[in-house]
Amino acid sequence: MPTVPAASTAPAPLPASLLLLADSRLPTGAHVHSGGLEPAAAAGRVRTVAALAEFLRGRLATAGLVAAAFAAAAAAECARPEPRWAAFDAELDARTPSPAQREASRAQGRALLRTAHTVWPAPALAALAAASPGGAHHPLALGAAAHAAAPEHAPAHAALLAASAAVTGPASAAVRLLALDPLAVHGVLAELAPSVDAVAAEARAVPDSPAELPAVSAPALDVHAELHRGQRLRLFES
Amino acid sequence: MGANHEHDPHHPAPAAGRALRLGIGGPVGGGKTALVAALCRVLREDFALAVVTNDIYTTEDADFLHRTGVLAPERISAVRTGCCPHTAIRDDITANLDAVEAHESRLGPLDLVIVESGGDNLTASFSQGLADRQIFVLDVAGGDKVPRKGGPGVTLADLLVINKIDLASRVGADLDVMTSDADHVREGRPVIATSVREHPDVPEIASWVRAQIAWWRANQAAGGAELAGSGHAH
């Protein structure tokens, strides 16, 4: 007598609502940001698929890790009776020396909260928006959105989403800006996937205090972001 | 918020207290920015206005409006679209909504916010979540077959403007063909053929916009109060 395959009764590894949040078609204004790719391209640092791969690897290990760790912590924070959003906000500001990047992060966070609150109406999202009059930093908004979309395992999900977005956003910008071969670019993203998983795993360890979250930096991204803001000819907000 | 899913797509539920949002789209070089400047000049005495421009890669359009001095600089802002002007007005309107709402919260109650799209193709149209009304601008120099080709901009815009008719004879465009082709696909929605350069007061277009603002106000007075805070129709 045939046995029922284990897979048919196993729970789905990811809830469908999380796929919505991961989908670049979710309207959150992300397509107008290049994650530093446009200024790097303008400086001649990224012209080819190979150079893009190096750029993404560096971004993942720095800005990607910080974003993933804060997203995971923010998702966990949603379960607390009184989330410490002001502390998280200050810690992210301290890790974001470039005013242009701060603005870009807040603009994307504000947009994501607007969309998430319409799609998954949750009090935690409104509370984060209310606590962030200038716009919540994007990793915090992403963590809260992951919690609103699917509370179970939200910190792990948020870490994976943030780490993944750290490379998929600039990769998409490179396809549009530099007309790189989209198939080759997705090949690069597939090669990076184990690294994305590794960064997400590292980011899942949520410390007691927001001050203990990772604080790796990428000075070139900071400098490029500032130079970019002064450029007259640019296609992306950041 | 998304409560009324059955509203007439051309008459989204008004949210009490917010301005009418007018999208102006069309291909590159048709005269969108000139029309925005003209409308601002003609309407600014009677209405509180603001403009959001979506340029493809610079703040050229916002700069043009600044130079022409049709509105105070704080009433004009520019949104970058990441190489995708149509995405920013249709699939992901977030950056534009943000700019529109920033105008409203900073400048107080407004009567009209104009969102000018970056020059794009014939399939571009404004999302109902961003624009309450939209004008699509073509010009005769783009070819007199364009209205026949259709596309959402030509067929669905609340007003189709065919601009630069003074050039029709020079580029061999048959204006009658353009207007009759447009009428054929537009199911009675209005078409105005004009030359913004020769008629900078754009009388016909301005009266159409005034009528839309009047309609908007009347609907808000009639039933908008209960919809207060509902925001845009997602």
Side-chain angles (χ1 to χ4, degrees):
Chain A
M1 188 175 168
T3 54
V4 177
S8 71
T9 54
L14 285 177
S17 59
L18 203 70
L19 297 182
L20 278 181
L21 184 56
D23 195 329
S24 67
R25 288 168 294 191
L26 185 71
T28 62
H31 71 105
V32 305
H33 295 271
S34 78
L37 187 278
E38 182 172 44
R45 289 170 182 265
V46 178
R47 295 268 166 85
T48 63
V49 172
L52 173 67
E54 290 308 300
F55 175 87
L56 296 178
R57 200 169 286 285
R59 192 168 195 279
L60 174 64
T62 54
L65 174 61
V66 172
F70 273 82
E77 196 72 7
C78 288
R80 291 174 76 106
E82 291 189 16
R84 301 160 293 176
W85 295 129
F88 278 97
D89 186 85
E91 292 296 335
L92 261 177
D93 260 0
R95 286 161 178 75
T96 316
S98 151
Q101 285 193 334
R102 288 186 189 177
E103 272 177 37
S105 173
R106 292 186 186 283
Q108 291 179 85
R110 183 171 59 239
L112 174 56
L113 277 186
R114 177 216 299 276
T115 301
H117 193 250
T118 305
V119 179
W120 299 283
L125 295 172
L128 175 55
S132 322
H137 273 298
H138 184 256
L140 305 184
L142 186 54
H147 187 269
E152 198 177 354
H153 308 307
H157 291 158
L160 183 58
L161 288 174
S164 175
V167 293
T168 55
S172 162
V175 168
R176 284 176 276 150
L177 183 64
L178 301 169
L180 296 182
D181 176 356
L183 307 187
V185 168
H186 270 75
V188 164
L189 290 174
E191 283 172 16
L192 277 171
S195 304
V196 171
D197 286 332
V199 165
E202 184 181 347
R204 280 205 294 270
V206 176
D208 291 335
S209 161
E212 296 165 30
L213 284 159
V216 285
S217 66
L221 283 178
D222 299 336
V223 172
H224 278 153
E226 288 304 303
L227 293 173
H228 184 249
R229 190 158 63 159
Q231 292 295 311
R232 194 178 146 67
L233 286 169
R234 57 189 172 112
L235 292 139
F236 293 83
E237 292 287 353
S238 73
Chain B
M1 215 177 304
N4 180 6
H5 290 295
E6 295 178 351
H7 62 255
D8 178 341
H10 283 91
H11 295 79
R18 80 159 169 78
L20 175 72
R21 295 168 183 176
L22 172 66
I24 298 186
V28 177
K32 294 184 295 299
T33 309
L35 176 57
V36 171
L39 286 173
C40 290
R41 215 164 29 235
V42 174
L43 300 175
R44 66 185 173 193
E45 298 300 324
D46 300 326
F47 302 103
L49 305 177
V51 173
V52 175
T53 68
N54 285 216
D55 208 357
I56 295 181
Y57 59 90
T58 70
T59 56
E60 193 65 43
D61 288 342
D63 290 348
F64 173 82
L65 294 172
H66 285 145
R67 282 199 305 276
T68 54
V70 292
L71 282 183
E74 69 271 16
R75 290 180 177 271
I76 304 165
S77 63
V79 165
R80 287 169 196 81
T81 61
C83 305
C84 290
H86 55 275
T87 303
I89 61 165
R90 187 187 59 206
D91 309 342
D92 188 348
I93 57 179
T94 317
N96 273 310
L97 273 184
D98 218 30
V100 168
E101 290 176 3
H103 272 318
E104 296 216 60
S105 66
R106 210 175 48 241
L107 301 169
L110 296 172
D111 298 306
L112 176 68
V113 179
I114 298 175
V115 180
E116 180 194 345
S117 87
D120 209 324
N121 60 51
L122 296 176
T123 63
S125 59
F126 282 83
S127 163
Q128 295 164 27
L130 177 61
D132 305 303
R133 289 289 184 280
Q134 54 187 305
I135 299 177
F136 200 74
V137 183
L138 295 174
D139 72 302
V140 299
D144 59 11
K145 305 288 188 299
V146 170
R148 193 177 310 163
K149 291 175 181 171
V154 170
T155 56
L156 297 179
D158 300 291
L159 173 65
L160 178 68
V161 170
I162 298 174
N163 190 21
K164 307 187 187 180
I165 56 172
D166 52 316
L167 299 181
S169 61
R170 312 237 179 151
V171 297
D174 187 330
L175 201 56
D176 290 338
V177 164
M178 291 187 85
T179 50
S180 66
D181 283 351
D183 286 337
H184 186 67
V185 295
R186 286 179 51 74
E187 299 176 341
R189 283 183 284 277
V191 178
I192 294 176
T194 185
S195 164
V196 174
R197 180 183 284 273
E198 292 195 336
H199 303 282
D201 289 342
V202 293
E204 285 179 281
I205 303 171
S207 9
W208 183 85
V209 174
R210 285 177 192 277
Q212 308 311 310
I213 296 173
W215 175 88
W216 186 252
R217 285 177 167 175
N219 268 264
Q220 291 198 333
E226 65 197 48
L227 294 159
S230 70
H232 33 81
H234 274 293

